[in-house]
Amino acid sequence: MPHDVLDTPRGPARVDTDEPSGRPRALLVLGHGAGGGVDAPDLIALRDAAVTAGLVVARVTQPYRVAGRRAPAPAGHLDEAWSVVLTALRQRQPGVALVVGGRSSGARVACRTARAVGAAGVVALAFPLHPPGRPERSRAGELVTGVPTLVVNGDRDPFGVPEPGPEVRVVVRSGERHDLRGDPVGTAALTVDWLREHGWADA
């Protein structure tokens, strides 16, 4: 699992890349939650399943986490660093579809920047619809990405569960909370099934 560091205007970002054994079907780039890292159980399970299904998977650690800070950077800084990293990763994997995603804060970043980076689809794990106890502060507008978007949330997530839309499929996992730790392998499997539907993963 090679990793490297890419410079961004917001500081160095780390990228951990895993490649399939054969010709890749797509490039899947994943971001982490606000206070977590790219080794979260749902991200690791998705990486394993996606690589097996023929995707290159790159997990991006934002500059503030590389610098050792837990408090997230402002949204604009996150989006800027992510977009710079995505430009570099696309140059390394020309000619394949780009799918972006992540968990929680990383899912929000992927949604907000999907059009700008030329993504074909978005995978949003534990999308935080609103701050806990503040449903009036909805972030549903961020899910209007203009491309096929899969949302996987737990029915016990205190950050809420989004509603499906024309391009947005929402899968609600029974008994799961925001960390999606109950059945990460199952979450990864249904995500890869969605990727297959769109031709981005091997059968």
Side-chain angles (χ1 to χ4, degrees), residues 40-49 103 125-126 152-156 171-193:
D42 52 353
L43 295 180
I44 293 297
L46 179 53
R47 176 204 65 185
D48 293 346
R103 65 165 286 103
L125 304 179
V152 184
N153 275 47
D155 64 350
R156 299 182 183 179
V171 178
V172 181
R173 305 226 64 203
S174 178
E176 291 276 17
R177 296 184 61 81
H178 191 63
D179 56 19
L180 293 175
R181 287 176 177 267
D183 180 23
V185 172
T187 293
L190 64 87
T191 302
V192 170
D193 285 345

XYZ file of all heavy atoms in Angstrom, residues 40-49 103 125-126 152-156 171-193:
304
model
N -10.687 4.433 9.245
C -11.993 4.126 9.821
C -12.495 2.802 9.249
O -12.247 2.488 8.080
C -12.984 5.241 9.521
N -13.190 2.003 10.053
C -13.593 0.666 9.599
C -14.387 0.655 8.296
O -14.164 -0.218 7.448
C -14.441 0.143 10.760
C -13.913 0.843 11.956
C -13.533 2.219 11.484
N -15.297 1.615 8.105
C -16.081 1.599 6.867
C -15.220 1.938 5.657
O -15.400 1.366 4.576
C -17.297 2.524 6.962
C -16.966 3.935 7.392
O -15.811 4.220 7.760
O -17.893 4.789 7.379
N -14.255 2.834 5.818
C -13.377 3.175 4.694
C -12.441 2.013 4.351
O -12.189 1.743 3.166
C -12.569 4.430 5.019
C -13.363 5.724 5.204
C -12.409 6.879 5.510
C -14.190 6.038 3.958
N -11.923 1.331 5.364
C -11.047 0.184 5.105
C -11.817 -0.938 4.412
O -11.338 -1.549 3.453
C -10.417 -0.314 6.417
C -9.444 0.726 6.975
C -9.706 -1.646 6.203
C -8.246 1.013 6.085
N -13.028 -1.209 4.889
C -13.836 -2.265 4.270
C -14.175 -1.925 2.824
O -14.131 -2.791 1.938
C -15.109 -2.494 5.074
N -14.502 -0.667 2.580
C -14.810 -0.255 1.210
C -13.570 -0.336 0.331
O -13.644 -0.784 -0.821
C -15.379 1.162 1.207
C -15.715 1.738 -0.174
C -16.619 0.813 -0.968
C -16.350 3.124 -0.028
N -12.436 0.067 0.864
C -11.193 -0.071 0.096
C -10.968 -1.514 -0.325
O -10.708 -1.808 -1.504
C -10.008 0.402 0.927
C -8.655 0.205 0.227
C -7.515 0.128 1.205
N -7.605 -1.052 2.079
C -6.761 -1.278 3.073
N -5.790 -0.432 3.348
N -6.906 -2.382 3.809
N -11.072 -2.427 0.622
C -10.800 -3.828 0.336
C -11.759 -4.370 -0.730
O -11.336 -5.060 -1.670
C -10.915 -4.659 1.609
C -9.835 -4.337 2.627
O -8.841 -3.678 2.264
O -9.994 -4.738 3.802
N -13.041 -4.067 -0.574
C -14.033 -4.573 -1.519
C -13.871 -3.946 -2.892
O -14.018 -4.617 -3.923
C -15.435 -4.315 -0.983
N -16.441 9.539 4.280
C -17.392 9.432 5.372
C -17.535 10.791 6.070
O -16.558 11.527 6.213
C -17.009 8.355 6.369
C -15.716 8.561 7.154
C -15.628 7.625 8.358
N -16.520 8.067 9.414
C -17.696 7.509 9.707
N -18.135 6.462 9.055
N -18.446 7.999 10.673
N -20.761 8.117 2.770
C -20.997 7.278 3.939
C -21.227 8.167 5.154
O -20.445 9.090 5.414
C -19.800 6.365 4.190
C -19.372 5.454 3.032
C -18.145 4.640 3.443
C -20.499 4.543 2.588
N -22.290 7.898 5.915
C -22.610 8.665 7.122
C -22.670 10.159 6.829
O -22.078 10.980 7.533
C -21.606 8.361 8.238
N -25.149 6.218 2.370
C -25.358 5.100 3.292
C -25.282 5.646 4.708
O -24.221 6.106 5.147
C -24.315 3.981 3.098
C -24.649 2.805 4.007
C -24.256 3.530 1.642
N -26.393 5.626 5.411
C -26.460 6.135 6.778
C -27.109 5.103 7.695
O -27.898 4.273 7.240
C -27.275 7.430 6.846
C -26.457 8.672 6.545
O -25.710 8.699 5.578
N -26.611 9.704 7.359
N -26.806 5.201 8.976
C -27.452 4.359 9.967
C -28.748 4.978 10.455
O -28.866 6.208 10.518
N -29.701 4.146 10.824
C -30.980 4.685 11.285
C -30.888 5.286 12.687
O -31.832 5.944 13.140
C -32.077 3.616 11.226
C -31.832 2.431 12.165
O -30.716 2.333 12.741
O -32.744 1.604 12.315
N -29.760 5.094 13.360
C -29.557 5.686 14.676
C -28.535 6.816 14.651
O -28.004 7.199 15.690
C -29.114 4.606 15.665
C -30.131 3.490 15.858
C -29.659 2.489 16.889
N -30.609 1.379 17.033
C -30.442 0.355 17.851
N -29.344 0.280 18.604
N -31.346 -0.609 17.930
N -29.496 4.563 1.291
C -29.622 3.246 1.916
C -29.475 3.439 3.420
O -28.472 3.989 3.890
C -28.555 2.268 1.401
C -28.688 0.919 2.107
C -28.680 2.090 -0.106
N -30.490 2.996 4.170
C -30.471 3.149 5.618
C -30.172 1.799 6.254
O -30.892 0.821 6.033
C -31.821 3.699 6.129
C -31.764 3.876 7.644
C -32.151 5.017 5.453
N -29.132 1.752 7.052
C -28.689 0.512 7.678
C -29.243 0.433 9.096
O -28.980 1.306 9.946
C -27.166 0.426 7.693
C -26.547 0.591 6.293
C -25.505 -0.453 6.033
N -26.080 -1.789 6.022
C -25.389 -2.897 6.247
N -24.098 -2.820 6.502
N -25.961 -4.069 6.210
N -30.000 -0.608 9.362
C -30.665 -0.787 10.645
C -29.655 -0.998 11.771
O -28.715 -1.790 11.639
C -31.624 -1.975 10.578
O -32.245 -2.196 11.821
N -29.858 -0.271 12.872
C -29.026 -0.432 14.053
C -27.699 0.298 14.014
O -26.965 0.293 15.008
N -27.377 0.924 12.892
C -26.083 1.592 12.775
C -26.164 3.040 13.250
O -27.171 3.725 13.057
C -25.608 1.578 11.310
C -25.220 0.214 10.784
C -23.794 -0.164 11.130
O -23.190 0.452 12.027
O -23.275 -1.102 10.485
N -25.059 3.497 13.841
C -24.924 4.895 14.231
C -24.004 5.615 13.247
O -23.749 5.104 12.158
C -24.407 4.988 15.670
C -25.392 4.392 16.692
C -24.924 4.575 18.106
N -24.783 5.989 18.455
C -25.792 6.780 18.824
N -27.021 6.302 18.908
N -25.571 8.042 19.131
N -23.498 6.772 13.655
C -22.728 7.584 12.713
C -21.425 6.907 12.299
O -20.938 7.126 11.192
C -22.436 8.956 13.338
C -21.878 9.954 12.382
N -22.581 10.413 11.278
C -20.675 10.583 12.348
C -21.843 11.284 10.623
N -20.682 11.405 11.245
N -20.859 6.065 13.163
C -19.562 5.466 12.838
C -19.670 4.281 11.875
O -18.653 3.822 11.343
C -18.811 5.055 14.106
C -19.602 4.105 15.000
O -20.567 3.478 14.512
O -19.252 3.991 16.192
N -20.883 3.779 11.657
C -21.084 2.638 10.744
C -20.152 1.471 11.073
O -19.669 0.771 10.179
C -20.905 3.064 9.277
C -21.955 4.019 8.708
C -21.582 4.442 7.287
C -23.348 3.391 8.713
N -19.929 1.237 12.357
C -19.012 0.178 12.771
C -19.679 -1.187 12.926
O -19.007 -2.189 13.087
C -18.351 0.539 14.106
C -17.309 1.626 14.023
C -16.780 1.993 15.404
N -15.723 2.989 15.322
C -14.417 2.711 15.263
N -14.025 1.450 15.295
N -13.524 3.662 15.185
N -21.006 -1.233 12.898
C -21.695 -2.489 13.150
C -21.435 -3.558 12.108
O -21.219 -4.730 12.428
N -21.435 -3.162 10.840
C -21.246 -4.120 9.747
C -20.554 -3.432 8.582
O -21.147 -3.212 7.527
C -22.601 -4.691 9.314
C -22.483 -5.700 8.175
O -21.388 -6.281 8.004
O -23.479 -5.871 7.439
N -19.283 -3.055 8.742
C -18.592 -2.352 7.664
C -18.468 -3.172 6.390
O -18.513 -2.618 5.281
C -17.216 -2.022 8.260
C -17.056 -2.955 9.413
C -18.433 -3.215 9.935
N -18.337 -4.496 6.530
C -18.233 -5.339 5.330
C -19.540 -5.298 4.541
O -19.537 -5.227 3.306
C -17.853 -6.778 5.725
C -17.934 -7.705 4.515
C -16.445 -6.814 6.313
N -20.671 -5.331 5.245
C -21.955 -5.231 4.571
C -22.153 -3.898 3.893
O -22.675 -3.813 2.767
N -21.726 -2.827 4.556
C -21.802 -1.493 3.959
C -20.954 -1.420 2.701
O -21.375 -0.873 1.677
C -21.341 -0.436 4.981
O -22.280 -0.384 6.053
C -21.239 0.935 4.346
N -19.764 -1.994 2.754
C -18.889 -2.003 1.577
C -19.502 -2.804 0.441
O -19.437 -2.394 -0.730
C -17.526 -2.578 1.957
N -20.116 -3.935 0.756
C -20.696 -4.790 -0.278
C -21.821 -4.090 -1.025
O -21.896 -4.138 -2.261
C -21.194 -6.093 0.337
N -22.702 -3.412 -0.298
C -23.797 -2.745 -0.990
C -23.283 -1.542 -1.785
O -23.857 -1.184 -2.829
C -24.907 -2.353 -0.004
C -24.626 -1.345 1.089
C -24.835 0.082 0.614
C -25.542 -1.611 2.285
N -22.212 -0.930 -1.311
C -21.618 0.178 -2.064
C -21.017 -0.319 -3.372
O -21.194 0.304 -4.429
C -20.545 0.885 -1.215
O -21.132 1.348 0.001
C -19.959 2.071 -1.967
N -20.308 -1.433 -3.319
C -19.721 -1.987 -4.542
C -20.813 -2.451 -5.501
O -20.673 -2.323 -6.725
C -18.725 -3.109 -4.203
C -18.286 -3.847 -5.455
C -17.509 -2.532 -3.482
N -21.915 -2.972 -4.981
C -23.040 -3.318 -5.852
C -23.529 -2.096 -6.615
O -23.843 -2.172 -7.813
C -24.191 -3.911 -5.032
C -23.923 -5.338 -4.590
O -23.000 -5.969 -5.143
O -24.636 -5.817 -3.684
